[in-house]
Amino acid sequence: MATCGGTQVFILILCLSELLTVGILIFSHGFLLTRQVVLFNSSCEDFKIEEDHVKTKIKESTNNGKGLSAECWMTPTFRRAVILLIDALSEEISEDNIVDQLVSCGKRITVLGDDTWGGLFPGRFNQSFLYPSFNVMDLHTVDNGVLNHLEKEMLQDDWDVIIAHFLGVDHCGHRYGPNHPEMAAKLKQMNSMIKKVVDNIENDTVLFIFGDHGMTRTGDHGGDSRDEVKATLFLYSPVLDIMHSVFDGEHSLPVAQVDIVPSLALALGVPIPYSSLGRVMENIVVTVEHSREEADHRQLVALAQNVKQVRRYLKDYKNLGNVFPLDKWQRLEELNGIMLPSIENLSPKEQKKVYIEYLTLAKLMCEEIWAKFNVSEISSGLFLMFNSMLLITVFTHCSFIIKNKIPIVKRVLFLTVLVNALFVFTPYSRISVLGYVASFFMITWMCIHRHIFTIESIYLNKSDCTSLLLAVLMCLGSFSNSFVVMENYVVAYILLSSLLMQILIPFLKRPRKKNTKLSVDSYFLLYAMLILIVFMSVRLSSWFWKCREEQSWCSPSQVHTPMTGLQQSLRNWRYFTSLFSLILLVWLPRRWLLMCGNLNGSRLGVILFNSVPVMCGVLVAAYWALQASPTLHNVNISEYVVIPPRVNYALTLVYVTAFYFLPLLIYELPQSNTRTSMQLLLDNPNILIPKLCQTLMEKYNEGNQRTSSVPVVYGLATAVSAPLVSLLTVILVVIVMVAGDGFTPAVVLLLVTAVASLLLQAISSWKTADSLSMIMKPSWSAVCTWFILSIHGFYSTGHHPTFPSLHWSAAFVGFEGEWNGSNFIPALLVGFNTFSSQILFGLALPLVLLAPLAVGVIFPKLRCNSRLETEEVRHGEFLLMDEPDKAEDALVFLGLSYILLHAAKVFCSAVSAFILRRHLMVWKIFAPHFIFEAVGFMITGCSVLAGIWFTLRIIKVLKSWSEYLHHKNS
Amino acid sequence: MFTFLVGNGVTRTIAANISYLLLQERAVPGRSGPSDGYICGLPKGKTKKSSKVVEVVVVALLSICSIIFTHVVTVLFGAYVIENVEETFTFSILVASLAFIRPLVTLGPSAFIIILERLSLEEESDVKCCSVLFGAWLGAIPIPLDWDTPWQILFTLQVWPFTCSIGAVLGEMVATLCFLAKLWTLGDLDSKKNKAT
């Protein structure tokens, strides 16, 4: 019976959040850009150059010897090239690319550096010296290896292209940040290397040096901030005359990264890869040896070839069924019309102008269409989201679950299946149409069932109203770019306001009697202290905020630099603060469970909780110590760095599974000898409350059946929340480990805030409640606070909804970068780190329901509500077992309202991203904000479901246990 | 009256506030003592004159405490601790004087307890206390905005604490206007009654 109800609760929440997710997915399908991959290759024969010019150049190329048949598309300016790539690597290579073109033209490539090159282009290289690379801790292996071989190789004659890839600067940036002595040493090393290489460059060789990205102030990259996108490009050859041409203002600076490929290709006389959109740097095809006219001519030829190639790509891309914006395409055709018949009639300068305009416009156009919005899909997704939210609102406001259970849940399930099944038709119909059909189904469903939804008069008291208003205010903030940029400040402000209002309103609303003075007793002091704690911890957590690029006034705090990047003097300080916070993190939940009497006896759960969190904590401390040990790059400790996190992951898995199957943390005193219990009480004063529980159980059972043997059970009043708390403890430790040492105090502050706000809620709900059933029904204000807290947690653990502020270092916790090309584990770890707050608060959501019940038993003084002083109150969380219907209703309300609030936030950010899609800042502010909100919503949904499923499981096990007890005793 | 908003000299603010409060004190001379029915927290059995002195001292101390309290709360709500400390302090003097010190002056040392106890919409000091605090709270909303609007350039200073101060003053003004309107209608009614009789 209980299982059936439990499954229904789960299915209901699952279905409704799934419907919302469908809406979000349709929206993002229309909103986020896509680009189709065209799998054609360029070949030498595509655009043959006119004969007479080849002739003049042949001399030159034969002079250079070697007799390479490399006059593809353009006579080569240089015979050989040295490419020094400083920093990280590129990834997907399914299209035509420069390496393949070089190989197919018979160029012999030597590659030095990172072993991913071998993985990306297997069998392409003539010679390779590759080194294992992805261990960020290791600054020197790759670079030293490359340096050892580079000079030797350059002096030999068996290569045409050398690619040397230096990783050290990148790794150094990740590990130490840009302003660290280690970085200076690395840059010096690079400088001396470049000097040597430049000295060895001959006249027929061109040298390319570039970084493929920059780095942020903390040394990370991957986003789109100015610091990350700008990088160095250095071109050198003894015969190259770049300065002269730059003064002509020919190739505008900065050079786009896509321009490197056509320049390199034409300089070496190989075809430009098929789908390249870059524009050749004209200067690279001209050397000092060329006369003025010759130079002009060569530049024109290069540009003409480039235009032909881009035009072919655009035409083919269009033929594949893609649409270009009409005005730009027309202008391109116009330019093409000028070029085709009569290009010879124009002066070289005008020709050049036409070519350049064509190439620039083509790139602009492509950038635009790959950022194009599908408005009909967007609006259909939004409509679907709105309908699902409406459905959820209806569900949170009527308590019909008790009355007609089975049909309604089954019908919701049917609706969900129907909506999902619709998307089988994706190949035959437009997605937007399917979205509208789905919304239509939902509306009809609601209309059919309107008689079931006997909406009780929506009763919201004052504190609920203010909390909801504040939450809505926060959601509306996503319509303004400045509010999104400052969201961390806004959320903290709103959180404090909502907590304050929630405390003040019941306080002011209490029954007033004339001529009574305000009692300043210990209870009042506790209240004030809790408020102070919440305020302090929220304010202090601002220390852990990360700086967004747009927050120009903000200076990054030192918690974001890894411990190895700190000065020696600060390092110990950091380590021991983190250690202290870690100890607090493990100790606080333990203290609480001891107080509740949940840690007696020898159940598996008790044994596990006594050992595993402590072990995990020790492992995390060991991990930090290993990570920060200064001799890391000389000795082989680095091999052991991965061990503690891996053991930790394994332990956590075992722990969670064990708790899933044996969740109970209660202790049944062996009957018959009451003496032992007295002895236990004398030994351990902490179990005074369990003793209370014992009398509680006695009385409870007396009412039911008059038996002489009364079972004595410890920790029954918190039987439901205790397993949840113990589960969360270990998850907290894992979160801290993945977040890194700097953020441990932030997590502790978050924990303190959450606990204090739960206590405050518990107190105020005991103060205002008129009946027990009101305590068993969580209020909107409690859910709102929890929702705002989860958003606050996202910011206070050092995150921002922007890609530059992702903590990439999280991917290396327990791994050295040996993922074998799969992105699953790094994505999982970075995601876990980014959304740790959402996961935590989603899993802990049932505590909002359980806290008042538990607090009422553990701190009986706090109840101070004479209307509720019944025997039942002392049952604590066992009340849920007594009234399973109410418990299920409460869980449904809790899950749905929490998900609804998060959905409202996603909805607001989606609408704002849609409305402001032409805003200057859409890709910097609104779109990332939406993406983070959407992913956060999905993760919230999953963790809420997991938390509720676990709670239902505990209730079920507890139920069967109590039935067994009854059975035994009767 | 509120010209001190533009400068941020603490002393000027204090002077302006004190003069304002003195005006208040003069305006409602009958209310300077503790209200009827409530405990004033003073030891009885002292001579009248000395108790008056003690009361003034207590009120002054409580005023200073309330200013510090406001400052701390402002900082907890997100104001910078060290940067802009002068502005924050000026702002807290303004808010404290409008919300807390006035009731202290008019109701006596036990003003806070009285207000917390009754908090009715009828009493002027209660309503003004709430409206000033609410106005200051609302004033924080425009802070993140970075429009280049005249009212932000007008001051050629950072937004903090102008919007909040203006919010507080507006709250005060709205409450005052409401009470004025109420008084007016009451007067109307009275005169009508008088005519009828």
Side-chain angles (χ1 to χ4, degrees), chain B:
Chain B
M1 179 101 252
F2 299 108
T3 45
F4 60 85
L5 272 176
V6 180
N8 46 13
V10 176
T11 43
R12 234 192 306 169
T13 320
I14 293 174
N17 279 319
I18 287 173
S19 59
Y20 180 60
L21 288 171
L22 283 179
L23 278 174
Q24 290 266 326
E25 173 84 341
R26 285 281 159 77
V28 275
R31 293 180 125 200
S32 59
S35 265
D36 52 319
Y38 294 101
I39 309 94
C40 83
L42 275 180
K44 281 179 183 175
K46 287 202 172 184
T47 56
K48 221 175 180 184
K49 211 162 197 183
S50 72
S51 82
K52 187 85 181 170
V53 170
V54 168
E55 196 174 296
V56 168
V57 170
V58 169
V59 164
L61 279 178
L62 278 177
S63 311
I64 292 167
C65 285
S66 75
I67 291 171
I68 293 169
F69 173 76
T70 320
H71 188 93
V72 168
V73 169
T74 316
V75 167
L76 284 179
F77 258 110
Y80 289 115
V81 183
I82 298 162
E83 259 175 84
N84 300 340
V85 70
E86 199 183 337
E87 285 90 336
T88 312
F89 193 64
T90 320
F91 167 73
S92 41
I93 290 171
L94 173 70
V95 170
S97 59
L98 290 179
F100 304 132
I101 300 178
R102 190 201 3 240
L104 273 176
V105 171
T106 50
L107 298 178
S110 53
F112 298 141
I113 295 173
I114 293 170
I115 287 179
L116 276 178
E117 274 288 295
R118 62 176 188 210
L119 201 85
S120 68
L121 283 174
E122 304 296 316
E123 298 291 333
E124 188 180 349
S125 51
D126 302 15
V127 171
K128 277 191 176 173
C129 176
C130 289
S131 65
V132 166
L133 291 180
F134 183 65
W137 183 84
L138 271 185
I141 289 177
I143 289 179
L145 294 176
D146 59 352
W147 305 331
D148 296 327
T149 44
W151 59 266
Q152 281 187 329
I153 295 171
L154 186 74
F155 297 113
T156 59
L157 282 164
Q158 70 276 63
V159 186
W160 171 252
F162 286 107
T163 47
C164 288
S165 314
I166 288 167
V169 173
L170 278 181
E172 157 90 14
M173 276 162 68
V174 167
T176 313
L177 281 178
C178 283
F179 274 100
L180 263 179
K182 207 170 164 187
L183 272 179
W184 199 41
T185 47
L186 272 180
D188 261 13
L189 281 178
D190 280 352
S191 61
K192 270 178 193 172
K193 265 182 195 170
N194 286 340
K195 270 181 189 173
T197 53

Side-chain angles (χ1 to χ4, degrees), chain A residues 656-875:
Chain A
V656 171
T657 348
F659 258 95
Y660 179 74
F661 288 108
L662 297 166
L664 291 192
L665 279 177
I666 47 180
Y667 176 49
E668 211 177 318
L669 211 67
Q671 284 176 18
S672 75
N673 48 352
T674 42
R675 245 169 207 287
T676 35
S677 83
M678 282 309 289
Q679 197 57 45
L680 215 66
L681 187 65
L682 289 175
D683 286 348
N684 192 353
N686 281 337
I687 52 169
L688 200 99
I689 287 121
K691 185 76 184 156
L692 203 125
C693 243
Q694 169 193 354
T695 43
L696 179 164
M697 262 320 274
E698 271 173 42
K699 286 193 174 155
Y700 174 67
N701 277 346
E702 254 172 45
N704 293 337
Q705 69 220 40
R706 303 201 168 271
T707 49
S708 53
S709 62
V710 180
V712 182
V713 180
Y714 288 104
L716 203 56
T718 51
V720 185
S721 68
L724 202 58
V725 168
S726 54
L727 200 70
L728 287 170
T729 311
V730 168
I731 289 175
L732 271 174
V733 175
V734 175
I735 284 176
V736 160
M737 181 178 71
V738 176
D741 43 76
F743 289 101
T744 322
V747 177
V748 172
L749 283 177
L750 198 61
L751 181 75
V752 168
T753 320
V755 168
S757 76
L758 275 180
L759 269 177
L760 282 172
Q761 271 156 22
I763 295 171
S764 57
S765 79
W766 277 104
K767 245 173 131 49
T768 49
D770 295 321
S771 64
L772 259 183
S773 60
M774 269 183 83
I775 287 181
M776 279 178 64
K777 191 178 185 315
S779 65
W780 267 106
S781 59
V783 179
C784 275
T785 311
W786 205 246
F787 160 66
I788 300 170
L789 255 173
S790 75
I791 308 281
H792 170 70
F794 175 76
Y795 289 104
S796 72
T797 49
H799 297 288
H800 259 297
T802 56
F803 291 102
S805 57
L806 282 176
H807 298 188
W808 297 109
S809 56
F812 298 98
V813 178
F815 296 90
E816 277 181 328
E818 65 289 14
W819 302 298
N820 305 326
S822 101
N823 284 330
F824 178 70
I825 291 172
L828 189 75
L829 284 173
V830 172
F832 179 74
N833 177 27
T834 309
F835 299 103
S836 53
S837 154
Q838 273 91 337
I839 293 172
L840 199 65
F841 283 94
L843 279 175
L845 183 65
L847 290 183
V848 175
L849 165 68
L850 300 172
L853 297 171
V855 168
V857 177
I858 306 298
F859 306 112
K861 263 190 193 166
L862 292 184
R863 289 206 297 267
C864 68
N865 189 334
S866 50
R867 282 161 296 170
L868 295 176
E869 281 308 317
T870 52
E871 207 51 56
E872 273 191 316
V873 169
R874 297 196 206 149
H875 291 185

Side-chain angles (χ1 to χ4, degrees), chain A residues 470 480 482-483 486 489 493 496-497 508 510 512 515-518 535-536 539 553, chain B residues 37 39 75-81 113 116-119 137 140-141 144-146:
Chain A
L470 286 170
S480 157
S482 16
F483 277 92
M486 308 260 291
Y489 297 85
Y493 191 74
L496 289 180
S497 314
L508 296 175
R510 78 203 177 286
R512 272 182 227 127
N515 296 337
T516 52
K517 65 172 171 179
L518 199 73
F535 269 68
M536 288 295 282
R539 184 69 178 88
W553 63 91
Chain B
I39 309 94
V75 167
L76 284 179
F77 258 110
Y80 289 115
V81 183
I113 295 173
L116 276 178
E117 274 288 295
R118 62 176 188 210
L119 201 85
W137 183 84
I141 289 177
L145 294 176
D146 59 352

Side-chain angles (χ1 to χ4, degrees), chain A residues 897-913:
Chain A
S897 54
Y898 185 68
I899 283 176
L900 179 68
L901 286 172
H902 271 279
K905 191 142 189 342
V906 180
F907 185 73
C908 280
S909 68
V911 172
S912 71

